[in-house]
Amino acid sequence: MNKRPDEIFRVREMWSPDDIKSLELNFGNFAWNANSTQKNSELDINFPGISHTNEYITNQIGEIDIGTVFNTLYFDGFAEDTSLKPIGKKAINDWIWENVVCKQIKSASLCNFLNKKRKKVKPETFDLIVALSIDYCNKCARLLEKRIGDVTSEDLNDSRIVDLFIHEFNQQKSSVKQCYLKQIFKATSFHRVELIISKRKREEFIHPLVLRYLKYCKDQGTLDSSLSNLSSQLKRVLIWLTSVPLDLNCYSMNDIPVWEINHSHLKGYRKYLQRMVAEETYTLRGASQHMVYVTSFFQYLYETEVISSDITKGISKIVSDPYEYREIPKDEEIKALIKTVMIYSDSPVVESLYYLLMLNMGLRNVEVANLQWQDINLETNILTIDQHQLPIPTSITRLFGKIGIAKKGLVFTQEPSKYKGQIYNNFKLYKRIAGWRYEGGVHLLRHTFITRMAEFLPPMVLKEVARHESDRTTALYVHINESKLSDAVNTLKFL
């Protein structure tokens, strides 16, 4: 097999059409609690309409039930390792200093500035300031035709650097980043220039027709989290339309008359997205999906007679494969991540439990943040999510006991939205300390869970465990590398 990673098979391609068809028969009443199914089943799983002695299923799963599979994923109890000495989140700044700053930055004035920040700011802030410093040094190095490790304090005072810095400062859209860039320049250069931080007032996005469209989508069953994303996507296109085309820049994103937007505007926006993809500012997949959101909105406006013509007609899609292969962390890397959490988290057991619910049970970040004690039955070891019942692995049951069990209320926080964002930010820090080089945020853990489960379960069972409505969606989460596919092919026996 000589396939590139982006050509690796989807999970459905591992099964014949006849096998898939047989698995899809009358699957609506899949029983989640293995112990509640027929005791004489070899699988301890109920497949309505499918014989329990079906050799195909037996050969694929053997005698392993869902609960057993969950229990064998990754590790049992390493999050309770008493040999680990927690030092808390503040120590992350020391790690960044020793492993990033000291190894990459040689300018004494910049190091002195960062050392002072190390002792004063939160890890997320220190990480941002260090990233801005390294990016600044990299650009200085390119201008001076040096390596970043050779850029000295004297180099940062070079007169050529002033123009570069002013350009970088003015290009920065974030006033927070502008503030830190100004501090970096002041600490490293004797040149004095006037730098005005733009006070951009955050305007609420309340275009009436967008709000009407969002209500329509909600009535059609779109989740609140998806509506928030859709609103952001439409805000992006309206900001562009009121900033770039000269005939529309007299409007704002909240008052632009949609009937003045025409086919040429959308065509120009599509070209802009293609340019952003070429410059690697946007991913091809992201631009493709974004264009779908945009055209769907304007098609809705046409169908509801808000605009008189279908201005999306003739606007071709930005074509991309919806599947994106990802490298999935190995067992030892996952163990290193959880050990990092146990050492650097201010609430090590709580935060380890949070991540393990995603790794060992496939929960989404938003689902864990909003998890309630009423959803958890520790007597039967069943966790209920949106009417789906999942068996709780033994190690996770123990961790629930360690954080203090309650009868009702939220498990992790009284502010789920805020905590979800904090978990996301913490994850970026933890995975760097653990040595991960994998792209993506905390949702990577759910990809990892589904990929691992694909080694044990047939496609339609996997879809139900993943709680997806479509097996096409499940296939996007399965990332089987070439080595494992080769091993699987080599085990096949032909008559």
Side-chain angles (χ1 to χ4, degrees), residues 13 50 102 146 165 185 189 191 258 343 443 459:
E13 295 174 355
I50 305 176
C102 292
K146 288 189 171 188
F165 182 83
F185 186 74
S189 177
H191 296 281
V258 294
I343 293 171
H443 199 60

Side-chain angles (χ1 to χ4, degrees), residues 145-163:
E145 297 182 342
K146 288 189 171 188
R147 296 180 303 173
I148 183 173
D150 295 331
V151 174
T152 65
S153 298
E154 290 73 21
D155 291 327
L156 294 180
N157 272 298
D158 191 302
S159 58
R160 291 172 292 175
I161 299 301
V162 177
D163 291 337

